[in-house]
Amino acid sequence: MGQMISLSEISKIIDNWLRATFNPTWTLIIEMVIAGVCVIGLFAVLGLVLVIMERKVSAWIQIRLGPNRVGPKGMFQSMADTVKLLVKEGLTPDGADKFLFNLAPLIAIVVAMLLMAPIAFARDFQMWDINIGVLYVSAVSSVMVISILMAGWASNNKYSLLGAMRSGAQIVSYELSAGLSIIAIVILTGSLSFNEIVHSQVDGWWIFKGHIPVLIAFVIFIIAATAETNRAPFDLAEAESELTAGFHTEYSGMKFALFFLAEYVNVFIVCAIGATLFLGGWMPFHIGSWQGFNQVMDYIPSSIWFMGKTFFLIFLIMWFRWTFPRLRIDQLLNLEWKYLLPISMFNLLLVTAMAILGWHF
Amino acid sequence: MTNEELKIKIAELLPAAIFDEAGEFTAVNVDAADWKNFSRQLHFDEALQFDFLSFLTCIDFKTHLTMLYHFDSYTFHHNLVVKIKLDAAKPEVETVSDIWQTANFHEREVYELFGVHFINHPDLRLLILPDGWEGKNPLRKDFEDAVNMIKL
Amino acid sequence: MYRETTIVADENQNLAAKEAGDFIINVGPQHPATHGVLHLVITLNGETIKKVEPHLGFIHRSIEKMCESLTYRQFIYVTSRMDYLSSHINNHACALCVEKGMQVEIPGRAKVIRILMDELTRIASHELWLGAMAMDLGAFTPFFHTFRERELINDIMEETCGARLTMNYIVPGGVMQDIHPNFQKKVKDFVKQFTSKIGEMDEIVTGNTIFQNRMKGVGILSKEDAVSFGCTGPAARGSGVSCDTRKIFPYEGYEKLQFDEILENGCDSFARYMIRIREMQQSIRIIEQLIDNIPEGDFQAKTKAVIKLPKGEFYQRVETARGQFGVFIVSEGGTTPYRIKFRSPGFSNLSALDHMARGSKLGDLVAMMGTLDLVIPDIDR
């Protein structure tokens, strides 16, 4: 391909060198360690980048400057915030269930890490090409709600409990329509593997070649993803003006930071999944028979394509947050059970018919 | 209704009423015993219809307390001030919170700041003062607070 | 003498009234939605509100008691600290009440300046309310948009009054000093910008479906209840009660001005919201009528340095941004008031909160408090 050195080639070089130097068991162990370090590194970078991005995006929407003191144009602000959170005292309330209270942020962060595994970041660059990738993601992501319930319950705070209960109702409901809109793509592709889903879009992304049903599925997915990550306008679990901070009212210092980080990483993950399923993952943008154009597009590295699409979706979700007011709990559940779920079920029928009749491109 | 008509009407309803000219509005002095019936008449009488209790408060005249009610009528846009003289040692007056719901809060305020006891008030508790307040009622003239009050 | 306040006030009474399944939470005294130190004890059944019980006094400074030892010139400055968002109008009411006792006629120029300042204050207050209420509902952005316009008013105030929030510009007999030479130009600039930007608010807030769903049919306050609870201002006018003091009991020459009293019959939060949006436009109308017609002359009438009011009772009410504000002075003939009573609109409006909130969801309580526009120092005094 066009680019000289890609992420997949780097990983291949490392793999070959390790195989030549160590025996297969040690190779595997060392590769796992490298992957783990990479994930933790990615976490840190994502946390820093997304926080500063959110603050800059909100500042841009709200006609103000945003952070502009630390570093060039305030770019190191989130670094300074991280240091502050690291050295801050982590309070545990007297009445709290200490074990669960401390466990909850860990679960949140571990779930977010597990979700990283099957995501294809670039061409042939994936930690674990599991053949049931989509199923794995939907299964593991539902563990997230346990950490929130745990945090709400263990805090021994009424705001936290209310926030956790709201969050439980919300995530369980919205997982349905998120799942149904993902299944639409699975039906069209005939595979649960992220790698194969990306490869099925080599001649066009699903959002373009899937006609209106896929477009509907995409919109529902974005709404459900926003709700599942507890972002405004569905941030009832935190609902600052109602429940002060919802389930993490009692958390401070690094434990709070872990929740905060998990929230942003989850946003990244759902956007990455959305980009993979609907926008072709790392596939470049091609237009039918425009050879020259397609070659130029191919020249852009696949990791840039993937990140570009993901960050576009993240921007979209941030845009929601800074524009819309919050829904009320009954309106939130009405939206899901009365509108999104029936629509996505009917939509699924259309997609199935479309897939059987081969109407997509 | 003009002030004169108002006076005639009120004199009909309550012959014992005494009018005073301290302020710009028609002010009527009522005995605490008559207040229960008279307040109902003020609200429900077709010609009066004082449906809006603007505020009620109390004035400490050292020798006695005076309850003061300020009524408006949204129908006729006339005003009335009602004054009730109360005993400073044991101030008691009938509540009007069943007629004007806003009186509920205003009477609680007067209760804690002046110590006036409102008979039949549904929920006569401290509203502003901290729970377990002991000592005199702050807006009485004989209230002294060495810590927080600065004499000019 | 002072004892520490327990966090859950009246725990015993609450427990007595508590039924199985009730969930009591404390909103406040430090809570982002109360915009101050209001303490609400809320009894919940799931997310549904069964009872709201306000506990006041966290910012009670006993202004009424303080005023008893302040002279008639001094006590006006304290009143700025009650309803700090319409401090100018509070000062106005006090000055009018004292002038009523002194029986002094103030110059026309001072009257017009006072009205202009009143209306600017009203717009500033409504702008802040709009931003804060949108923030309560979870939309952060309108806050910055409304503050952009409010900032212009604050600049005007700063130039002329010397202060941005607690103006203290009105004194018995007129205003403290003449208006700044830039005043008229700046006000005209503000009017121009305001009228061009108010549509932006309609797009981002009024027209938003989520916002309308959060507001419509929420916090119903019927006309009879609004009157009975003593509600005034936009809270009552949203229920169709015609209660604009500027129209019913005109003061300071409001009777000569062309403006409409805004009434809505929705009785819900959305009606109260629309009232304030439309009221801002009426205030602009008043400003446009007066800004080119400020009469020449003195800005202050000649008054004695030490004011003594004759023995008697004086009452003056004005329309603040939140409703009817009244000043009641009992004078014994001295230089200080014998007893002073402030009829604050927020106190009466708050008493309707329990009635409005029962049966609605916890999230709606925030919308109701938002549209009642509670300012806690005004309630506590």
Side-chain angles (χ1 to χ4, degrees):
Chain A
M1 275 294 159
Q3 63 269 41
M4 286 150 289
I5 199 146
S6 67
L7 286 170
S8 68
E9 276 170 50
I10 296 171
S11 62
K12 249 181 221 131
I13 292 167
I14 295 172
D15 183 50
N16 287 340
W17 181 77
L18 284 172
R19 274 178 204 288
T21 323
F22 302 102
N23 64 34
T25 322
W26 276 108
T27 308
L28 196 65
I29 290 171
I30 292 173
E31 280 180 356
M32 277 177 155
V33 169
I34 293 174
V37 170
C38 284
V39 167
I40 292 171
L42 184 66
F43 256 58
V45 173
L46 274 179
L48 296 179
V49 170
L50 289 177
V51 170
I52 195 78
M53 176 177 165
E54 173 117 272
R55 296 181 71 172
K56 283 290 183 189
V57 167
S58 70
W60 175 65
I61 290 175
Q62 294 171 346
I63 47 172
R64 60 192 173 89
L65 288 175
N68 58 359
R69 284 287 179 276
V70 189
K73 300 211 168 201
M75 282 305 158
F76 297 147
Q77 180 66 49
S78 46
M79 212 93 87
D81 287 348
T82 314
V83 172
K84 182 205 78 175
L85 284 170
L86 276 170
V87 298
K88 207 174 165 185
E89 186 187 1
L91 289 168
T92 309
D94 273 346
D97 184 330
K98 300 215 169 38
F99 176 66
L100 292 183
F101 186 81
N102 294 327
L103 188 62
L106 285 179
I107 289 186
I109 210 80
V110 165
V111 168
M113 279 187 182
L114 287 176
L115 286 172
M116 286 278 181
I119 290 173
F121 290 95
R123 184 187 298 275
D124 301 328
F125 188 74
Q126 197 176 4
M127 257 177 272
W128 187 24
D129 185 12
I130 182 176
N131 59 355
I132 51 158
V134 174
L135 186 64
Y136 171 86
V137 165
S138 13
V140 171
S141 68
S142 53
V143 179
M144 188 68 200
V145 71
I146 293 178
S147 84
I148 291 177
L149 285 175
M150 214 181 244
W153 174 254
S155 296
N156 193 20
N157 177 320
K158 289 172 177 177
Y159 291 131
S160 302
L161 186 61
L162 265 178
M165 289 301 157
R166 282 179 174 191
S167 181
Q170 176 182 337
I171 293 182
V172 167
S173 326
Y174 276 82
E175 219 146 64
L176 286 169
S177 51
L180 286 176
S181 52
I182 290 175
I183 288 176
I185 298 300
V186 173
I187 287 170
L188 288 171
T189 317
S191 169
L192 287 166
S193 151
F194 276 115
N195 196 21
E196 281 178 40
I197 288 175
V198 175
H199 276 289
S200 72
Q201 303 180 63
V202 69
D203 52 347
W205 305 348
W206 277 120
I207 192 144
F208 296 129
K209 64 177 185 173
H211 302 297
I212 290 168
V214 171
L215 208 61
I216 295 171
F218 178 66
V219 170
I220 289 175
F221 178 80
I222 288 292
I223 295 174
T226 318
E228 272 205 69
T229 47
N230 286 328
R231 301 268 307 173
F234 306 105
D235 61 341
L236 286 117
E238 286 155 38
E240 192 203 328
S241 55
E242 295 158 30
L243 303 177
T244 54
F247 65 90
H248 57 62
T249 306
E250 295 288 354
Y251 284 87
S252 60
M254 208 50 212
K255 284 177 220 157
F256 165 73
L258 287 182
F259 270 123
F260 203 56
L261 187 62
E263 183 192 319
Y264 279 105
V265 173
N266 279 331
V267 171
F268 174 80
I269 287 166
V270 291
C271 290
I273 291 166
T276 309
L277 296 178
F278 297 94
L279 303 179
W282 46 261
M283 272 301 167
F285 181 66
H286 283 177
I287 296 178
S289 53
W290 295 13
Q291 289 300 330
F293 178 79
N294 289 353
Q295 269 170 12
V296 172
M297 289 289 122
D298 282 342
Y299 194 76
I300 300 172
S302 55
S303 50
I304 302 275
W305 274 111
F306 175 77
M307 285 296 172
K309 289 166 189 177
T310 308
F311 273 83
F312 168 71
L313 290 183
I314 291 174
F315 172 73
L316 213 62
I317 284 184
M318 285 180 180
W319 193 358
F320 292 162
R321 170 162 181 186
W322 298 108
T323 312
F324 291 133
R326 186 183 304 116
L327 274 80
R328 204 169 60 213
I329 184 76
D330 55 328
Q331 291 167 348
L332 178 94
L333 296 178
N334 277 350
L335 175 70
E336 164 64 17
W337 294 99
K338 288 189 182 163
Y339 300 99
L340 292 187
L341 189 63
I343 291 171
S344 50
M345 281 173 140
F346 183 70
N347 192 42
L348 198 61
L349 272 179
L350 287 182
V351 171
T352 318
M354 201 168 75
I356 292 169
L357 297 170
W359 278 351
H360 59 88
F361 298 114
Chain B
M1 210 183 265
T2 62
N3 283 355
E4 290 308 313
E5 288 169 338
L6 210 58
K7 277 185 188 173
I8 296 165
K9 177 74 190 169
I10 287 165
E12 274 174 29
L13 289 172
L14 194 73
I18 306 154
F19 295 95
D20 82 36
E21 301 294 334
E24 60 182 301
F25 305 110
T26 314
V28 54
N29 284 299
V30 179
D31 196 52
D34 299 332
W35 177 229
K36 184 76 199 167
N37 280 327
F38 186 57
S39 61
R40 296 202 149 273
Q41 284 168 337
L42 285 181
H43 188 279
F44 296 108
D45 191 285
E46 284 298 316
L48 293 173
Q49 290 194 24
F50 285 108
D51 48 5
F52 180 73
L53 173 59
S54 182
F55 67 89
L56 65 88
T57 187
C58 189
I59 306 159
D60 182 10
F61 284 112
K62 289 175 188 159
T63 51
H64 61 275
L65 297 177
T66 299
M67 278 301 295
L68 189 137
Y69 299 77
H70 196 290
F71 294 105
D72 286 358
S73 165
Y74 275 145
T75 327
F76 303 118
H77 296 307
H78 52 214
N79 304 288
L80 181 71
V81 175
V82 175
K83 292 178 186 168
I84 303 170
K85 205 169 159 181
L86 300 178
D87 183 19
K90 191 169 175 287
E92 270 189 342
V93 71
E94 192 74 35
T95 179
V96 289
S97 58
D98 51 339
I99 306 170
W100 296 274
Q101 281 164 291
T102 184
N104 189 332
F105 266 42
H106 280 97
E107 283 177 356
R108 278 174 73 180
E109 194 192 7
V110 170
Y111 162 71
E112 61 193 340
L113 298 182
F114 288 94
V116 178
H117 185 75
F118 290 91
I119 303 161
N120 294 332
H121 189 281
D123 190 24
L124 204 59
R125 287 181 292 126
L126 296 182
L127 178 70
I128 291 169
L129 293 175
D131 294 334
W133 173 266
E134 281 161 14
K136 290 200 170 129
N137 303 97
L139 278 191
R140 291 272 193 115
K141 289 283 176 189
D142 56 357
F143 177 78
E144 291 293 333
D145 181 353
V147 184
N148 294 300
M149 270 170 71
I150 299 162
K151 286 277 173 199
L152 290 174
Chain C
M1 187 184 276
Y2 290 100
R3 284 213 269 155
E4 276 185 18
T5 322
T6 46
I7 298 298
V8 179
D10 304 303
E11 177 87 54
N12 296 332
Q13 292 222 18
N14 274 332
L15 288 177
K18 193 178 169 184
E19 295 165 27
D22 280 2
F23 192 66
I24 294 173
I25 67 169
N26 288 288
V27 171
Q30 285 147 349
H31 189 277
T34 56
H35 301 296
V37 282
L38 177 65
H39 179 197
L40 300 174
V41 179
I42 301 174
T43 311
L44 287 175
N45 181 9
E47 282 257 350
T48 313
I49 294 170
K50 288 176 80 175
K51 196 171 151 205
V52 177
E53 205 184 315
H55 290 266
L56 307 176
F58 288 90
I59 196 165
H60 198 278
R61 295 141 295 174
S62 208
I63 286 180
E64 291 173 10
K65 183 87 175 172
M66 278 159 74
C67 289
E68 287 174 12
S69 57
L70 296 175
T71 66
Y72 289 111
R73 282 200 190 279
Q74 288 170 332
F75 90 95
I76 292 182
Y77 304 111
V78 184
T79 59
S80 301
R81 274 82 185 167
M82 291 197 302
D83 185 351
Y84 52 83
L85 292 180
S86 45
S87 58
H88 198 86
I89 313 182
N90 290 357
N91 295 347
H92 196 170
C94 300
L96 281 173
C97 198
V98 173
E99 281 156 13
K100 197 180 262 180
M102 291 159 72
Q103 292 184 328
V104 63
E105 183 62 28
I106 71 160
R109 186 174 176 83
K111 283 187 177 181
V112 170
I113 294 172
R114 282 178 176 188
I115 292 184
L116 277 170
M117 288 296 189
D118 272 10
E119 297 308 318
L120 283 174
T121 311
R122 196 183 313 280
I123 295 173
S125 170
H126 283 346
E127 290 268 15
L128 187 135
W129 157 81
L130 177 57
M133 195 214 51
M135 195 128 103
D136 285 345
L137 292 182
F140 292 87
T141 304
F143 193 72
F144 294 89
H145 290 245
T146 56
F147 262 58
R148 183 185 51 198
E149 269 85 59
R150 189 171 182 269
E151 202 60 25
L152 294 177
I153 299 181
N154 281 353
D155 288 345
I156 295 169
M157 295 294 182
E158 192 182 359
E159 265 189 359
T160 297
C161 317
R164 291 164 72 84
L165 194 68
T166 51
M167 268 76 95
N168 303 329
Y169 181 54
I170 294 183
V171 292
V175 292
M176 195 174 262
Q177 70 247 352
D178 208 355
I179 48 173
H180 194 270
N182 283 341
F183 180 76
Q184 278 161 306
K185 186 182 156 291
K186 282 212 165 183
V187 171
K188 279 179 203 160
D189 286 351
F190 162 73
V191 169
K192 208 181 286 168
Q193 169 156 0
F194 181 84
T195 39
S196 67
K197 296 284 186 186
I198 187 77
E200 210 173 65
M201 277 300 117
D202 283 349
E203 279 171 37
I204 194 169
V205 186
T206 321
N208 190 318
T209 315
I210 299 176
F211 185 78
Q212 291 196 356
N213 285 341
R214 286 295 304 274
M215 304 285 278
K216 282 187 179 163
V218 167
I220 301 284
L221 183 68
S222 70
K223 191 173 176 175
E224 290 71 31
D225 284 329
V227 175
S228 178
F229 277 110
C231 294
T232 46
R237 289 199 282 279
S239 305
V241 182
S242 165
C243 61
D244 196 331
T245 317
R246 294 174 294 174
K247 284 278 184 197
I248 304 174
F249 307 110
Y251 53 94
E252 207 72 291
Y254 268 110
E255 65 275 11
K256 294 176 207 147
L257 296 169
Q258 304 284 316
F259 67 100
D260 300 329
E261 180 181 5
I262 311 291
L263 288 178
E264 294 263 348
N265 290 314
C267 301
D268 56 1
S269 291
F270 192 69
R272 295 190 279 275
Y273 166 84
M274 283 313 289
I275 292 270
R276 289 196 177 86
I277 296 282
R278 290 170 60 197
E279 244 183 43
M280 285 198 271
Q281 284 153 345
Q282 293 302 323
S283 293
I284 288 287
R285 235 178 109 187
I286 294 175
I287 292 172
E288 278 173 341
Q289 286 170 46
L290 290 179
I291 190 66
D292 284 325
N293 302 318
I294 303 179
E296 295 296 322
D298 290 337
F299 55 86
Q300 216 182 60
K302 289 245 182 305
T303 49
K304 282 181 192 157
V306 177
I307 299 174
K308 276 188 182 176
L309 292 198
K311 194 168 157 45
E313 292 162 9
F314 309 97
Y315 184 57
Q316 176 64 45
R317 59 201 137 180
V318 297
E319 183 78 11
T320 72
R322 262 148 286 279
Q324 195 185 81
F325 175 77
V327 182
F328 179 75
I329 297 179
V330 180
S331 169
E332 295 278 88
T335 54
T336 59
Y338 184 74
R339 160 101 174 104
I340 200 157
K341 160 82 186 169
F342 298 110
R343 191 260 178 218
S344 68
F347 189 73
S348 300
N349 289 357
L350 176 71
S351 66
L353 183 65
D354 179 39
H355 177 80
M356 287 157 69
R358 283 190 188 200
S360 49
K361 297 276 181 286
L362 181 60
D364 284 341
L365 180 75
V366 180
M368 283 170 224
M369 276 159 58
T371 52
L372 282 180
D373 198 6
L374 303 175
V375 169
I376 313 306
D378 175 43
I379 295 168
D380 272 358
R381 298 187 301 283

